[in-house]
């Protein structure tokens, strides 16, 4: 009998990198997801990549198998696994974490979110050395979240006060998360006060952005994104194609735009728009630059159960 698990990819709106060192961050699930199907078998993996997704030549083809082995444990050897990687891989959209959570769900992992997050963090450590846990958390919660990891992990489902239009895209070549996280760690060791303050500002941008989401105020979200983008650019995390795309998105009417996720040489970007019409114009402008871009929409939600761990 076949069993299946599914989990969405993510877009980080605020707090990437700073979240590794305890700052608040905001992430939202994507409509794109990873599906894992298990059938009795002998450990064969059938990996299906989305049509049109570019997988960089240096993509470590062993990584999905290593994640599956860790997630499935003994069950790996006695099953054939089909992975439908609907989240573009190696782009900053959390495909590794979504794969880890989908595999754990297929294998019958606990439904309790906090327990599943613990397991997913262990699995994700195969893909990168110092994960904050924000990627698996949004894959598990499946709603917009505020995430913070200090002595413990706190995840809160975020209220969305008015329909939200984000444009999400990917530009340039993503060099992988682990080396970029390591590089930021090195910079932080060299200039702890400066980098510490910059990371505090990224955390403050996350909280201002969360307020903008709750109030349905895209202009506030956009303002906070512009400030975050300036700091992340100062960290050397914004590749030339992403910088051009951010400028083009704002030129086409986005209220703010920034890189998203690990960044480095290239990868994901996100823009906030006041309306569907503006979002369509931004998508056209980005596609004109050769950037793969689409709209993600979030409806009004006022979660009751906010505190989860
Ligand atoms: C990667 O999606 C986000 C980073 O902040 C790393 C992490 O939080 O694990 C760069």
């Amino acid at each position: 009998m076949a069993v299946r698990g599914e989990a969405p990819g993510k877009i980080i709106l605020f707090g990437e990198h700073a979240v590794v060192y305890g700052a608040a961050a905001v992430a939202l699930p994507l409509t794109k997801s990873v599906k894992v199907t298990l059938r009795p078998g002998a450990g064969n993996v059938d990996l299906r990549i989305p049509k049109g997704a570019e997988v960089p030549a240096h993509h470590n083809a062993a990584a999905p198998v290593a994640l599956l082995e860790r997630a499935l444990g003994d069950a790996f050897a006695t099953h054939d696994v089909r992975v439908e990687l609907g989240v573009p891989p190696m782009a900053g959209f959390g495909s590794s974490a979504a794969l880890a959570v989908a595999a754990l769900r297929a294998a019958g992992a606990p439904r309790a979110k906090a327990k599943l997050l613990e397991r997913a963090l262990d699995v994700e450590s195969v893909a990168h050395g110092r994960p904050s846990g924000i990627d698996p958390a949004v894959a598990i919660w499946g709603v917009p979240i505020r995430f913070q990891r200090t002595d413990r992990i706190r995840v809160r489902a975020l209220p969305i006060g008015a329909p939200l239009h984000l444009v999400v895209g990917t530009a340039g070549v993503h060099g992988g998360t682990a080396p970029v996280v390591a590089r930021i760690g090195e910079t932080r060791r060299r200039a702890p006060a400066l980098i510490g303050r910059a990371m505090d500002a990224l955390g403050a941008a996350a909280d201002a952005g969360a307020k903008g989401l709750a109030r349905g105020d895209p202009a506030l979200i956009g303002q906070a994104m512009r400030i975050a983008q300036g700091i992340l650019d100062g960290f050397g995390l914004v590749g030339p194609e992403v910088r051009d795309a951010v400028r083009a998105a704002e030129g086409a009417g986005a209220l703010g735009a920034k890189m998203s996720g690990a960044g480095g040489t290239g990868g994901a970007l996100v823009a906030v728009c006041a309306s569907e019409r503006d979002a369509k114009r931004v998508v056209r402008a980005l596609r004109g630059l050769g950037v793969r871009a689409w709209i993600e929409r979030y409806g009004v939600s006022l979660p009751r159960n906010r505190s989860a761990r």
Side-chain angles (χ1 to χ4, degrees):
M1 197 193 63
V3 284
R4 192 152 116 160
E6 183 171 359
K10 64 91 190 18
I11 188 82
I12 295 186
L13 202 52
F14 295 104
E16 49 276 274
H17 289 285
V19 70
V20 174
Y21 299 96
V26 170
L28 297 91
L30 296 178
T31 45
K32 297 179 189 298
S33 68
V34 175
K35 294 176 189 138
V36 171
T37 308
L38 302 181
R39 288 191 177 80
N44 301 307
V45 176
D46 170 14
L47 181 65
R48 299 177 181 195
I49 308 275
K51 238 192 243 153
E54 282 168 32
V55 181
H58 61 272
H59 178 54
N60 178 1
V65 176
L67 285 165
L68 288 168
E69 277 177 335
R70 184 77 153 237
L72 301 176
D74 292 345
F76 182 74
T78 57
H79 288 82
D80 287 340
V81 188
R82 190 172 74 201
V83 177
E84 291 158 84
L85 208 57
V87 180
M90 290 289 285
F93 296 126
S95 63
S96 301
L99 172 58
V101 173
L104 287 167
R105 282 182 169 149
R111 277 164 175 267
K113 293 187 176 93
K115 281 229 150 35
L116 185 53
L117 180 57
E118 243 167 60
R119 296 281 310 277
L121 266 169
D122 169 62
V123 176
E124 210 207 358
S125 63
V126 168
H128 90 88
R130 196 182 164 134
S132 65
I134 189 169
D135 291 11
V138 71
I140 292 167
W141 264 256
V143 295
I145 57 168
R146 178 189 187 276
F147 178 98
Q148 192 163 21
R149 181 178 194 167
T150 48
D151 50 334
R152 67 191 180 98
I153 291 178
R154 274 169 292 176
V155 186
R156 181 159 68 81
L158 281 177
I160 306 285
L164 175 70
H165 303 85
L166 297 184
V167 174
V168 169
T170 170
V173 177
H174 191 280
T177 300
V180 192
V181 170
R183 177 157 67 74
I184 296 301
E186 184 46 39
T187 310
R188 187 170 168 269
R189 275 189 291 283
R190 284 209 307 273
L194 173 63
I195 301 301
R197 283 195 190 126
M199 286 183 171
D200 287 347
L202 290 172
D207 280 328
K211 199 177 274 179
L213 289 172
R215 289 183 183 163
D217 181 348
L220 175 58
I221 300 167
Q223 177 69 71
M225 285 169 76
R226 286 171 189 253
I227 291 171
Q229 168 71 2
I231 297 170
L232 293 163
D233 203 0
F235 283 0
L237 289 167
V238 182
E241 291 93 344
V242 174
R243 189 175 300 116
D244 289 349
V246 162
R247 213 172 283 147
E250 289 175 353
L255 296 166
K258 61 181 274 294
M259 61 151 283
S260 170
T265 48
L269 60 114
V270 57
V272 65
C273 299
S275 67
E276 179 77 18
R277 218 167 118 208
D278 288 357
K280 285 187 174 151
R281 209 169 42 234
V282 169
V283 166
R284 278 198 298 277
L286 290 177
R287 288 188 182 156
L289 283 182
V291 170
R292 192 158 174 254
W294 68 95
I295 302 175
E296 291 281 346
R297 304 167 182 86
Y298 302 85
V300 171
S301 69
L302 304 165
R304 274 182 304 123
N305 174 21
R306 293 218 199 156
S307 197
R309 198 180 177 200

